[in-house]
Amino acid sequence: MRPNAQILSYEPLPMLWPELKRVRRFIGKRFDFRGYGLGTSQERTTIYVPVAGRLPITTRASLLENEAQGQCAQLALETGLETSVNQVDIEIRRGDDEGLAPLAIKLDVEGAERVVLDGLTETIDTHRPVMLIEYSDSFEACAAYFSERDYTIYVGEDRGDGTLICPDLSTRNWIAAPNEHAHLFAV
């Protein structure tokens, strides 16, 4: 990590702010969080938060209602609890408007990865960060986005689609690395 670089978390759900403040005390000044989501424009929108029993499962929240409904179905199987989806009004901002120079970015946005990437295009093209992205139905669209930018895609298992295998990578995530840094992921 660069000196004075910050780890950023964009958390649009105020219910997590106390938890993120504890994380900040633990990590220190390198960590900051913002109380909004990332997208392609500045606007207000609805985020869909799965609830298991009476507990909001914010780590499975999505900008896409159908993704949140799918998470509810999975949570019902995992917990045996009744599930529902809460709607929360949030602010969205373009990532490119943040003025960041990231070395790496982690995306876990439950199917809205391409929307977030479209709002980060200038940042990605300028700073060429390594990306760690959770698998979702947007994988193909995201992989095409990165192949247009001379990135190599690494996965944790053979998908039969020409992506390169990185054996220590979880099968829940994939990596998009700029070709100039691809040697870091060679197996």
Side-chain angles (χ1 to χ4, degrees):
M1 183 179 300
R2 284 188 198 123
N4 301 319
Q6 289 187 327
I7 300 167
L8 293 172
S9 173
Y10 291 88
E11 181 49 61
L13 302 173
M15 59 192 83
L16 278 187
W17 291 356
E19 181 178 339
L20 290 171
K21 286 179 182 177
R22 283 191 293 278
V23 169
R24 184 176 191 178
R25 282 194 306 267
F26 177 72
I27 295 177
K29 293 181 180 179
R30 293 183 310 147
F31 176 82
D32 193 11
F33 66 93
R34 315 285 169 92
Y36 48 85
L38 295 179
T40 56
S41 62
Q42 187 159 339
E43 61 185 292
R44 294 205 66 81
T45 193
T46 300
I47 191 167
Y48 300 92
V49 183
V51 177
R54 297 166 82 192
L55 179 66
I57 310 298
T58 57
T59 57
R60 297 191 186 188
S62 178
L63 291 170
L64 308 173
E65 186 174 13
N66 64 330
E67 288 285 334
Q69 293 291 353
Q71 291 292 337
C72 277
Q74 185 64 35
L75 284 166
L77 290 173
E78 293 171 6
T79 66
L81 297 172
E82 281 190 41
T83 60
S84 61
V85 174
N86 280 356
Q87 295 182 23
V88 178
D89 184 51
I90 64 164
E91 179 183 1
I92 299 291
R93 296 183 184 178
R94 274 180 12 111
D96 285 333
D97 295 339
E98 296 299 299
L100 302 174
L103 296 173
I105 296 174
K106 166 65 167 117
L107 289 183
D108 181 356
V109 291
E110 305 303 328
E113 292 82 7
R114 185 56 200 258
V115 173
V116 173
L117 290 174
D118 286 344
L120 281 168
T121 296
E122 295 166 23
T123 301
I124 290 169
D125 289 348
T126 300
H127 301 288
R128 307 208 26 94
V130 172
M131 306 288 297
L132 179 64
I133 303 174
E134 187 177 54
Y135 275 112
S136 74
D137 291 340
S138 72
F139 173 78
E140 297 300 327
C142 292
Y145 172 94
F146 284 110
S147 70
E148 292 170 3
R149 289 169 168 74
D150 294 322
Y151 273 65
T152 300
I153 305 301
Y154 297 90
V155 297
E157 64 184 11
D158 187 0
R159 296 176 49 91
D161 60 4
T163 55
L164 299 178
I165 298 172
C166 188
D168 294 329
L169 183 63
S170 157
T171 57
R172 293 180 46 132
N173 296 289
W174 56 280
I175 293 172
N179 287 343
E180 62 270 21
H181 298 304
H183 66 281
L184 299 172
F185 300 94
V187 292

